[in-house]
Amino acid sequence: MLENLNLLRAFWGFFFIFWTTFNTALVDVVGSEQQIPLSVVKLWASAFGGEIKSIAAKYSGSQLLQKKYKEYEKDVAIEEIDGLQLVKKLAKNMEEMFHKKSEAVRRLVEAAEDAYLKHEFDADLQYEYFNAVLINERDEEGNYLELGKEFILVPNDHFNNLPVNISLSDVQVPTNMYNKDPAIVNGVYWSESLNKVFVDNFDRDPSLIWQYFGSAKGFFRQYPGIKWEPDENGVIAFDCRNRKWYIQAATSPKDVVILVDVSGSMKGLRLTIAKQTVSSILDTLGDDDFFNIIAYNEELHYVEPCLNGTLVQADRANKEHFREHLDKLFAKGIGMLDIALNEAFNMLNEFNHTGQGSICSQAIMLITDGAVDTYDTIFAKYNWPDRKVRIFTYLIGREAAFADNLKWMACANKGFFTQISTLADVQENVMEYLHVLSRPKVIDQEHDVVWTEAYIDSTYEEGKKRRKPNYSSVDLSEVEWEDRDDVLRNAMVNRKTGKFSMEVKKTVDKGKRVLVMTNDYYYTDIKGTPFSLGVALSRGHGKYFFRGNVTVEEGLHDLEHPDVSLADEWSYCNTDLHPEHRQMTQLEAIKRYLTGKEPLLQCDKELIQEVLFDAVVSAPIEAYWTSLALNKSENSDKGVEVAFLGTRTGLSRINLFVGPEQLTNQDFLTAEDKENIFNADHFPLWYRRAAEQIPGSFVYSIPFSTETANKSNVVTASTAIQLLDDRKSPVVAAVGIQMKLEFFQRKFWTASRQCASLDGRCAISCDDETINCYLIDNNGFILVSEDYTQTGYFFGEVEGAVMNKLLAMGSFKRITLYDYQAMCRTNKESSDSAHSLLDPYNAFFAAVKWIMTELVLFLVEFNLCSWWHSDLTAKAQRLKQTLEPCDTEYPAFVSERTIKETMGNIACDDCFKSFVIQQIPSSNLFMVVVDNECFCDSIPPITMAPIEIRYNESLKCERLKSQKIRRRPESCHGFHPEENARECGGVPGLSAKPPLVLLPLLLTIFSR
């Protein structure tokens, strides 16, 4: 019995210890779930919201401006925009503009043809022309260099403030060409007559910018004349014959199969030259062309295996993809050309029947060091008698043993034969095929005006000039990517007229914020061009505009105020038409137009009338701001620094409450601050964001720094002014202020110390170490934090667990965005293989090595070649970080407007983390109070860093194969019965004919 009693005591003792321990642990866990009172947070939010709105409304003058527009309601006519009528009107205007450009091109064509016919070629002609690289260059003795005479250059605003000569053109010659070659000197001489046509065109249409003349001989005449600077290697790589505008004007669309010999005899430099030849051919292909590359020995090797048996569009992305695969080619085995030719003919025939290709010209490019047969049986089977597929042959190496067979193949199939012995020979020899393909167009005497898409050659990143290849070929589907079924794109490609609507996500503020809106798209074709025009109108305020009415005298009076400015990139008046107007600002032009001092000015009367109306209605705000600035008791701590206003007509007013030198943000509302001023392509950021806010509320934000760490120390607040209270009414203006961040944060901390208790003792305060208080905006960025360094950060990076919960609860939503024009950093092996033609010295030394190798080739059976040429083919095993085009996806976040407040608990490793989120009234802000005693380190932060979209091989292949709907050029000049097919590469016994007249007549004109 006693023993049982002792056992019972021991059990209860153990149970008591166990229960005590368990209960203590339970108390610890539950105790860490600190309940933050929602009512207190609501009080703080209300106090701060009232205070900051009062400041923003007072200093911006929003209520005064709203009242002034209200007074004019009875004199205003509100109209809904007819999108179809608008787009048709704009298309008609653009049709007239394009017609002027076409006429300028035709005048140049006529002048060039006439000058060429009158000129007699003189092989001994000596002519000193203005070489664009050598102009104004002197030798050590101070004398001008040959072809480098004095050439007056003056900076000109019309030409991006570049130093130009608007009286003369000058001439650029590629580095790999001799600038005193007789063919070039003769061409430059007779094309001098184009100078007067260039000047006349510019006088007739002052909106023209650059006028070009590209010669088939390689020289490039540019007006106005400008100085060309070599790159860091002393090279000018530009060759006009590789430009899209030249290729598209010279030839018709074509389907091309490139056959590359990779048999054992192609080892060493020959294979390097062959690869460079393929790359140069790719340079000559444009978006209207289709191609594939097949390497052959005793077997066929598609350079891109997934594209077996088909062709792909020769856009820049596809060409770069194939170039990367060229490095994988190596030489071995025996060349079986008959297999390759059969495959090429079958592929071209089948692809032509699909209706997907060019449906015009077809060609086979053969790159080899020899052919043992003429393969006439294959040509008889597939290509004769019509010879619809041209054969272009490129003999690699200096041996002529197999030259006759290759010449015969080209001549028998309306092609051309060339021999390429060195890397320096590649460029010129590849260009020969373009001359052949242009023959039918010349014989037809067609002068098709060809329009390229808008493109840019270079971009500046990190202070350095870099090529951004994909930038020049932006497909509409990559911009309006929400249109997954390409409804809008296909309708515009097919030149339809109609309307399409969809919800879109528009990124702003350096891509960190997103505006979700519904757009109505209206589209139609532009007659006489290959283009279609589309206009997007945002639902709501974007669908309406109003017409006000004031006298010219009233409007002019209120435009005279020194703080009034207009969007200088907008065209209120066309100041480009006459040279004497080009120095005028738009505001000056309007004043002179309205006072009758410049009767020749062409101005938009309707837009100017609206500007006058806005000037009159907004004029009283200047006196209001001035009174605030003069009242010393107001804004004594100078927390508010700037007040600003912008109207839908591009009129702006600015008032400083501190001296210019005291401004915290010196760039705000200046030309350097592109996001926050009226530009040709967008309204200011503060205007756009205010327009999307609920009427009567202010939108607050801090500007993002371009640096890694955000160092902003100001806050911007803005609100939209609507003519009526109805949401459908147009937004007529936006006003706002910029204040010091420290001033803004101080108001927040003052409000967060308030409490409702009678004794003044607060149960909780943001000063408490047990909680963290934040102020975030509707995109989740921190404006106020106890840790000042967190200002500007995304809330998810700081409080990942809370942000995850807010997303799960629907308080915020994640929006995935895509950038199909991104640049990604990548590590690539640095290699010296396949030296480019951009460096003639490398090409020269490579040729010398090759010749020396050839002398002893028979002794070592190609081994010496491989050894000698190893510096050209072996890759240095080191990584180099480069920027490459890529596709990325990245998140943006936006608050749910219907959720004003919420609270929640988060289960962490050994505790529960509580939080409260409360909207700040009349704003886009939220106060977030978070328990600081429970740490959720196991839940990772949420970042906004872009992620590269990596496509697996299967998806890559599908993307390569996929072809979006496209329209072909309206004309095709593939063949002509009068062609002289005997001009095929200098076959013995064939006489050469004079150059075709129209080959050099390739011009393009850009306009503003």
Side-chain angles (χ1 to χ4, degrees):
M1 184 71 178
L2 183 61
E3 183 178 348
N4 290 338
L5 184 61
N6 289 335
L7 285 171
L8 187 61
R9 287 174 177 172
F11 170 79
W12 281 108
F14 172 79
F15 180 80
F16 178 78
I17 294 171
F18 174 79
W19 170 250
T20 304
T21 304
F22 175 80
N23 193 49
T24 303
L26 185 63
V27 169
D28 286 343
V29 172
V30 175
S32 68
E33 183 187 338
Q34 181 176 223
Q35 294 300 321
I36 301 169
L38 179 61
S39 59
V40 174
V41 177
K42 197 169 188 175
L43 174 66
W44 295 343
S46 178
F48 174 69
E51 172 76 359
I52 205 66
K53 182 183 179 182
S54 174
I55 293 171
K58 176 179 179 179
Y59 285 93
S60 68
S62 60
Q63 293 173 338
L64 171 66
L65 192 62
Q66 184 71 65
K67 178 183 176 183
K68 289 298 177 184
Y69 273 104
K70 189 81 172 174
E71 292 174 0
Y72 281 86
E73 277 185 11
K74 61 182 181 299
D75 300 322
V76 170
I78 299 177
E79 300 178 15
E80 183 173 354
I81 298 174
D82 185 330
L84 280 177
Q85 183 181 358
L86 174 63
V87 77
K88 288 177 181 179
K89 176 183 176 183
L90 294 174
K92 183 63 178 176
N93 293 340
M94 296 190 74
E95 178 187 341
E96 294 173 0
M97 181 270 291
F98 281 121
H99 179 71
K100 287 183 179 180
K101 314 309 175 205
S102 298
E103 288 302 303
V105 172
R106 294 190 190 282
R107 284 191 289 271
L108 284 168
V109 169
E110 291 171 2
E113 287 182 339
D114 184 58
Y116 175 82
L117 291 173
K118 291 178 180 178
H119 175 75
E120 290 187 11
F121 184 85
D122 180 359
D124 299 320
L125 178 65
Q126 300 293 315
Y127 181 62
E128 285 285 318
Y129 61 91
F130 289 109
N131 185 293
V133 179
L134 300 176
I135 54 172
N136 300 328
E137 295 289 333
R138 299 175 184 265
D139 58 22
E140 294 179 355
E141 298 178 357
N143 300 316
Y144 285 113
L145 297 178
E146 191 176 18
L147 304 183
K149 297 177 292 185
E150 182 181 12
F151 193 75
I152 298 172
L153 297 171
V154 179
N156 191 306
D157 288 340
H158 186 69
F159 298 95
N160 300 320
N161 213 34
L162 293 171
V164 297
N165 186 318
I166 60 173
S167 300
L168 294 169
S169 62
D170 58 5
V171 175
Q172 177 265 341
V173 180
T175 300
N176 64 325
M177 299 184 67
Y178 179 42
N179 57 28
K180 299 195 75 174
D181 181 279
I184 288 178
V185 173
N186 276 265
V188 171
Y189 177 79
W190 67 254
S191 64
E192 282 285 340
S193 61
L194 296 180
N195 274 321
K196 60 183 180 182
V197 186
F198 286 142
V199 174
D200 180 59
N201 278 343
F202 190 40
D203 288 340
R204 291 174 184 239
D205 182 4
S207 66
L208 289 175
I209 304 183
W210 306 108
Q211 300 180 59
Y212 298 154
F213 171 87
S215 167
K217 300 303 180 184
F219 73 84
F220 175 71
R221 183 177 289 281
Q222 181 177 12
Y223 173 87
I226 191 170
K227 172 79 171 173
W228 284 57
E229 298 291 344
D231 62 19
E232 60 271 16
N233 298 316
V235 173
I236 299 288
F238 180 88
D239 189 321
C240 64
R241 296 167 299 176
N242 274 341
R243 312 313 293 165
K244 283 187 176 183
W245 55 267
Y246 184 103
I247 295 166
Q248 290 180 7
T251 66
S252 293
K254 51 197 170 292
D255 301 331
V256 176
V257 176
I258 304 173
L259 302 179
V260 188
D261 185 354
V262 291
S263 62
S265 62
M266 289 288 290
K267 283 183 179 178
L269 183 57
R270 288 180 180 176
L271 186 59
T272 301
I273 295 174
K275 291 178 181 178
Q276 185 64 48
T277 302
V278 174
S279 183
S280 293
I281 292 172
L282 292 180
D283 284 338
T284 66
L285 302 181
D287 290 347
D288 292 325
D289 303 322
F290 292 80
F291 77 102
N292 204 337
I293 306 174
I294 303 174
Y296 71 92
N297 40 37
E298 61 267 27
E299 296 179 349
L300 299 179
H301 310 276
Y302 279 86
V303 170
E304 172 48 79
C306 91
L307 294 173
N308 189 319
T310 189
L311 277 69
V312 295
Q313 187 180 7
D315 59 33
R316 194 181 292 268
N318 286 343
K319 290 190 292 186
E320 289 303 316
H321 179 82
F322 273 80
R323 279 196 178 95
E324 292 173 4
H325 282 61
L326 285 177
D327 287 337
K328 301 174 184 177
L329 296 182
F330 57 92
K332 70 172 185 177
I334 302 170
M336 304 292 287
L337 179 55
D338 56 336
I339 300 175
L341 285 172
N342 275 291
E343 180 75 3
F345 275 114
N346 281 322
M347 181 160 53
L348 287 171
N349 183 51
E350 292 173 7
F351 190 69
N352 192 46
H353 286 141
T354 65
Q356 294 180 336
S358 67
I359 315 297
C360 191
S361 301
Q362 291 194 319
I364 295 174
M365 309 288 196
L366 174 59
I367 302 167
T368 179
D369 63 349
V372 297
D373 191 7
T374 57
Y375 303 99
D376 51 321
T377 56
I378 295 177
F379 299 130
K381 177 182 177 180
Y382 292 103
N383 207 36
W384 294 345
D386 296 332
R387 295 186 289 178
K388 293 292 187 181
V389 178
R390 298 181 189 269
I391 307 295
F392 296 94
T393 55
Y394 300 89
L395 176 60
I396 306 299
R398 60 188 180 83
E399 291 86 355
F402 300 108
D404 289 342
N405 288 341
L406 291 173
K407 290 176 183 178
W408 185 90
M409 282 189 272
C411 295
N413 294 278
K414 291 188 176 181
F416 201 87
F417 163 82
T418 62
Q419 186 167 4
I420 303 177
S421 301
T422 69
L423 283 166
D425 296 336
V426 173
Q427 183 91 337
E428 283 303 303
N429 283 285
V430 165
M431 291 297 172
E432 293 292 344
Y433 95 88
L434 293 176
H435 303 167
V436 175
L437 291 183
S438 65
R439 288 173 184 165
K441 182 176 287 191
V442 174
I443 297 171
D444 286 335
Q445 295 186 355
E446 290 291 342
H447 296 95
D448 301 326
V449 176
V450 177
W451 299 93
T452 69
E453 76 276 16
Y455 66 93
I456 187 170
D457 284 335
S458 304
T459 186
Y460 285 84
E461 293 189 10
E462 300 177 2
K464 295 182 179 180
K465 190 175 183 180
R466 303 181 184 276
R467 287 206 174 274
K468 193 168 185 179
N470 281 356
Y471 191 87
S472 62
S473 56
V474 183
D475 194 280
L476 181 62
S477 61
E478 296 180 0
V479 179
E480 301 290 353
W481 50 265
E482 293 93 344
D483 181 16
R484 302 292 185 183
D485 297 325
D486 286 342
V487 176
L488 175 63
R489 180 192 180 280
N490 293 346
M492 294 188 69
V493 167
N494 291 322
R495 300 171 65 80
K496 303 289 186 184
T497 297
K499 174 187 175 183
F500 174 70
S501 302
M502 68 177 174
E503 183 182 86
V504 298
K505 289 88 176 176
K506 174 67 176 175
T507 58
V508 295
D509 210 357
K510 300 179 176 66
K512 293 180 178 291
R513 304 184 188 278
V514 62
L515 300 177
V516 181
M517 59 188 74
T518 298
N519 281 351
D520 292 324
Y521 297 85
Y522 301 90
Y523 48 86
T524 191
D525 65 314
I526 302 174
K527 301 291 189 297
T529 78
F531 301 121
S532 289
L533 176 67
V535 172
L537 299 178
S538 299
R539 292 265 178 95
H541 60 82
K543 289 281 291 181
Y544 299 87
F545 69 97
F546 67 92
R547 302 179 189 278
N549 189 27
V550 295
T551 65
V552 171
E553 290 74 19
E554 286 180 293
L556 274 174
H557 176 268
D558 289 323
L559 278 177
E560 292 294 337
H561 196 282
D563 287 339
V564 171
S565 63
L566 294 179
D568 222 35
E569 292 185 11
W570 289 22
S571 292
Y572 303 89
C573 294
N574 191 342
T575 56
D576 281 332
L577 290 179
H578 300 281
E580 62 270 22
H581 298 155
R582 288 175 188 155
Q583 299 302 317
M584 290 184 185
T585 65
Q586 287 294 316
L587 186 56
E588 290 170 343
I590 289 175
K591 291 176 182 178
R592 297 183 72 82
Y593 168 74
L594 292 175
T595 54
K597 295 179 180 179
E598 294 289 346
L600 294 178
L601 270 172
Q602 295 184 12
C603 299
D604 187 330
K605 296 179 182 179
E606 188 175 281
L607 180 57
I608 289 177
Q609 181 61 40
E610 297 310 305
V611 168
L612 296 179
F613 177 80
D614 286 348
V616 171
V617 177
S618 63
I621 206 168
E622 295 287 355
Y624 174 81
W625 283 337
T626 302
S627 66
L628 285 177
L630 293 176
N631 190 337
K632 301 298 183 182
S633 62
E634 300 284 356
N635 197 30
S636 57
D637 53 4
K638 298 182 179 179
V640 179
E641 298 186 333
V642 185
F644 52 87
L645 155 126
T647 75
R648 91 280 187 216
T649 59
L651 180 145
S652 299
R653 294 181 186 270
I654 302 171
N655 184 80
L656 302 183
F657 294 114
V658 298
E661 70 287 347
Q662 295 177 294
L663 284 173
T664 305
N665 183 358
Q666 293 284 333
D667 291 337
F668 185 56
L669 301 177
T670 65
E672 287 73 28
D673 187 14
K674 294 291 186 183
E675 284 267 28
N676 285 305
I677 60 175
F678 287 94
N679 279 327
D681 61 343
H682 64 70
F683 276 48
L685 177 62
W686 46 265
Y687 191 112
R688 286 178 285 166
R689 295 195 66 206
E692 296 302 320
Q693 278 292 115
I694 297 172
S697 63
F698 277 83
V699 57
Y700 301 85
S701 62
I702 58 174
F704 290 109
S705 171
T706 54
E707 302 172 17
T708 304
N710 189 56
K711 298 179 180 179
S712 175
N713 45 17
V714 293
V715 175
T716 301
S718 60
T719 187
I721 306 298
Q722 290 186 288
L723 193 59
L724 301 171
D725 293 333
D726 188 344
R727 179 60 177 160
K728 290 184 178 180
S729 300
V731 172
V732 295
V735 294
I737 61 171
Q738 189 166 93
M739 64 192 104
K740 292 179 181 177
L741 178 60
E742 179 272 332
F743 169 80
F744 179 81
Q745 291 180 337
R746 190 166 69 247
K747 298 295 182 181
F748 175 83
W749 295 124
T750 300
S752 68
R753 295 187 182 98
Q754 297 188 22
C755 57
S757 61
L758 296 176
D759 58 4
R761 296 180 179 181
C762 302
I764 189 170
S765 166
C766 283
D767 293 331
D768 295 349
E769 294 184 0
T770 58
I771 60 172
N772 284 333
C773 295
Y774 303 92
L775 185 70
I776 66 174
D777 66 19
N778 60 312
N779 298 119
F781 293 101
I782 298 173
L783 282 80
V784 181
S785 170
E786 293 172 53
D787 182 352
Y788 183 81
T789 62
Q790 293 173 350
T791 304
Y793 277 74
F794 177 59
F795 183 64
E797 295 180 32
V798 177
E799 295 281 0
V802 178
M803 193 68 206
N804 260 308
K805 188 69 173 179
L806 291 174
L807 290 169
M809 297 170 67
S811 296
F812 276 79
K813 59 182 177 182
R814 181 198 304 262
I815 297 173
T816 301
L817 303 169
Y818 300 92
D819 184 357
Y820 296 107
Q821 297 295 310
M823 298 292 285
C824 296
R825 294 190 180 277
T826 182
N827 292 321
K828 299 188 76 173
E829 282 188 348
S830 179
S831 171
D832 292 329
S833 63
H835 285 299
S836 170
L837 291 175
L838 304 188
D839 192 338
Y841 302 104
N842 285 333
F844 171 75
F845 288 121
V848 171
K849 290 182 179 180
W850 179 73
I851 291 170
M852 295 177 66
T853 302
E854 290 286 302
L855 293 176
V856 294
L857 196 57
F858 68 98
L859 294 176
V860 293
E861 296 181 340
F862 298 96
N863 289 333
L864 181 59
C865 179
S866 300
W867 169 79
W868 187 276
H869 193 60
S870 61
D871 67 310
L872 292 176
T873 57
K875 292 186 178 181
Q877 297 301 315
R878 62 181 184 273
L879 294 178
K880 181 181 178 181
Q881 194 173 74
T882 61
L883 286 173
E884 297 288 337
C886 62
D887 296 344
T888 60
E889 67 175 33
Y890 58 98
F893 301 86
V894 63
S895 63
E896 176 54 57
R897 283 184 175 179
T898 59
I899 299 179
K900 306 296 184 186
E901 61 186 43
T902 190
M903 56 192 305
N905 295 303
I906 306 164
C908 301
D909 294 334
D910 56 357
C911 59
F912 285 90
K913 190 180 190 74
S914 61
F915 68 89
V916 170
I917 181 170
Q918 175 69 52
Q919 184 177 29
I920 305 296
S922 301
S923 78
N924 66 319
L925 303 177
F926 294 87
M927 176 180 279
V928 187
V929 182
V930 180
D931 173 14
N932 192 35
E933 292 189 324
C934 176
F935 298 98
C936 278
D937 296 334
S938 60
I939 301 178
I942 299 175
T943 71
M944 299 183 67
I947 301 171
E948 182 179 356
I949 302 173
R950 298 188 177 275
Y951 302 101
N952 59 40
E953 290 303 317
S954 174
L955 192 52
K956 280 182 181 179
C957 186
E958 289 304 314
R959 284 170 60 86
L960 285 169
K961 286 182 178 179
S962 64
Q963 290 189 25
K964 292 183 177 293
I965 291 177
R966 50 183 286 277
R967 290 185 69 253
R968 298 180 182 86
E970 294 180 357
S971 63
C972 170
H973 305 278
F975 298 92
H976 198 284
E978 298 177 17
E979 279 186 62
N980 184 359
R982 294 168 63 82
E983 293 180 9
C984 53
V987 177
L990 296 183
S991 60
K993 294 293 182 74
L996 294 171
V997 174
L998 292 186
L999 288 185
L1001 306 183
L1002 306 164
L1003 310 106
T1004 188
I1005 297 184
F1006 294 138
S1007 63
R1008 288 195 189 278

